[in-house]
Amino acid sequence: MADTSTIAGGDIPPASQTQTTKSSSDSQQASISLEKETLPFTPSLSTSILLPLTPTTSSTLALAHVQRVWDSIRPNSAIYNLLLSDIVLVAAVSHPTGRILAHLTLKPVHLNSKRILHGAVSGTLCDWAGGMAIAASIAGDELKVGEEEQDRQMTTGVSTDMHLSYCSTAREGDTLEVEAWVSRRGRKLGFTGLEIRKRVDHGWEKGERGEVVVVGSHTKYLPFGQKPREAKE
């Protein structure tokens, strides 16, 4: 089942505004009606305005592909093995854009000298999650059979730029909810957004999301010249 995740509204001005004014001798009242518009993914936007990505809305194909890519990367990365050996991929979709959700329970190795989440761990999560979101987007491509296409399908790109904003903190025993999405994927660059939250048990079922810990963006160079694709209707 295709994912229907979209952004509605947010901090981008809506497409249309209808303004009605009523004049008086000393004041003027204005009532503004805002029409909601479906907008593309943008790294600066919080996922608080995204439709939920959960195991029930996940794509089996996309999740399996992202897991396969992660399993191929993990043995070759000492830092990933140290910090992310226990991360669990929960959900992934390819359409209308690549998007992943993962959980990580914090241990002493993830903490700084003040016994709170280390900034370097947040950076590692941003690096990892952006790559996994790229992998999710590639899972939806129609690829030809061939060695180069197989290599392209397994790539997550090379980091060119990363930005993080630390909003709050987390401690040992907290479970983080790591969500990343592809804002745009062109011929040579992929742009991704990230939000790390404290997980709330059954939060989606109750319409709740945990406290935001980190938001970020991550740009990747795509070495195989991946072509942009149209979202399926």
Side-chain angles (χ1 to χ4, degrees), residues 112-134:
N112 61 18
S113 60
K114 298 179 177 61
R115 314 310 298 164
I116 57 178
L117 177 65
H118 200 297
V121 176
S122 299
T124 301
L125 285 169
C126 185
D127 176 72
W128 175 83
M132 294 302 104
I134 292 290

Side-chain angles (χ1 to χ4, degrees), residues 151-222:
D151 288 341
R152 181 167 81 84
Q153 192 174 20
M154 296 301 287
T155 190
T156 61
V158 180
S159 299
T160 63
D161 187 69
M162 188 184 300
H163 294 272
L164 294 174
S165 295
Y166 300 97
C167 305
S168 62
T169 191
R171 302 180 182 277
E172 182 179 356
D174 288 340
T175 297
L176 300 181
E177 194 169 59
V178 182
E179 186 167 0
W181 59 93
V182 177
S183 308
R184 183 177 181 277
R185 206 186 94 202
R187 293 184 181 277
K188 291 294 183 181
L189 291 176
F191 301 88
T192 71
L194 167 85
E195 187 169 277
I196 300 174
R197 305 177 293 267
K198 291 181 182 177
R199 184 187 176 194
V200 176
D201 288 339
H202 307 291
W204 286 117
E205 298 172 12
K206 298 180 289 185
E208 298 178 5
R209 292 194 182 193
E211 181 181 10
V212 175
V213 178
V214 177
V215 294
S217 63
H218 185 193
T219 305
K220 307 275 283 186
Y221 169 68
L222 308 177

